[in-house]
């Protein structure tokens, strides 16, 4: 089998990402190369599945938390750029600040807030206010 340099690079990223997935599953904090490979591989696979660049960029920031990577890694990974293959060709995907949440609980709270906002289309509900009075 003869691989192009791009194919060889893609397989290297996959192998590093697979190692990162296994370590993450065991609760081991990821280092810098593992973190980059984990996110880059995920983005490449979503592109292959036909996701849009916008959706990949948004969801990629939800993959890892500060708890799941070694100290200093979020500051070292300010941006990840990959050129995955989409159904309509290769495109550049830039993910800014891919590690934003401190914990998985914080990440899940943000997602719940996003869902609440989508469900109400911007309308305020009683759950949005802390100063509701009982008996009114």
């Amino acid at each position: 089998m003869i691989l192009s340099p791009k194919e060889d690079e893609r397989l290297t990223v996959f192998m590093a990402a697979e190692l990162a997935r296994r370590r993450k599953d065991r609760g081991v904090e990821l280092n810098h190369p593992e973190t980059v490979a984990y996110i880059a591989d995920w983005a490449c696979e979503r592109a292959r599945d036909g996701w849009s660049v916008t959706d990949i960029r948004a969801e990629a920031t939800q993959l890892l938390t500060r708890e799941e990577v070694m100290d200093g890694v979020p500051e070292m990974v300010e941006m990840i750029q990959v050129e995955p293959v989409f159904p309509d060709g290769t495109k550049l995907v830039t993910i800014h600040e891919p590690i934003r949440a401190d914990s998985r609980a914080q990440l899940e709270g943000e997602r719940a807030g996003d869902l609440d906002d989508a469900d109400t289309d911007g309308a305020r509900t009683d759950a949005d206010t802390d100063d509701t009075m009982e008996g009114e």
Side-chain angles (χ1 to χ4, degrees):
M1 174 170 50
I2 299 172
L3 300 174
S4 71
K6 186 169 184 159
E7 292 165 330
D8 188 50
E9 183 178 280
R10 178 67 187 104
L11 287 176
T12 300
V13 169
F14 168 78
M15 288 187 298
E18 187 61 24
L19 177 63
R21 281 188 285 274
R22 290 179 182 187
R23 289 184 175 167
K24 181 179 179 289
D25 289 345
R26 292 193 331 258
V28 177
E29 294 177 343
L30 303 183
N31 63 22
H32 179 269
E34 293 163 347
T35 299
V36 172
Y38 185 91
I39 296 169
D41 181 68
W42 181 91
C44 289
E45 290 304 305
R46 298 300 87 70
R48 187 71 182 219
D49 292 343
W51 285 35
S52 71
V53 171
T54 303
D55 289 343
I56 292 171
R57 288 176 55 184
E59 289 295 317
T61 63
Q62 310 291 303
L63 298 177
L64 295 172
T65 67
R66 289 179 174 275
E67 288 180 340
E68 297 168 321
V69 299
M70 292 179 171
D71 289 341
V73 170
E75 292 76 22
M76 292 179 359
V77 184
E78 295 178 0
M79 174 181 62
I80 295 175
Q81 289 187 316
V82 291
E83 289 187 50
V85 177
F86 289 82
D88 59 344
T90 302
K91 299 176 188 174
L92 178 64
V93 177
T94 303
I95 304 156
H96 295 276
E97 297 179 37
I99 304 167
R100 299 179 183 180
D102 291 329
S103 66
R104 187 61 45 193
Q106 180 185 9
L107 197 57
E108 295 304 322
E110 289 174 6
R111 285 185 181 169
D114 290 346
L115 291 175
D116 289 344
D117 291 345
D119 289 343
T120 60
D121 293 325
R124 293 184 58 83
T125 65
D126 288 340
D128 294 333
T129 60
D130 293 333
D131 57 345
T132 56
M133 297 178 65
E134 291 184 34
E136 286 189 338

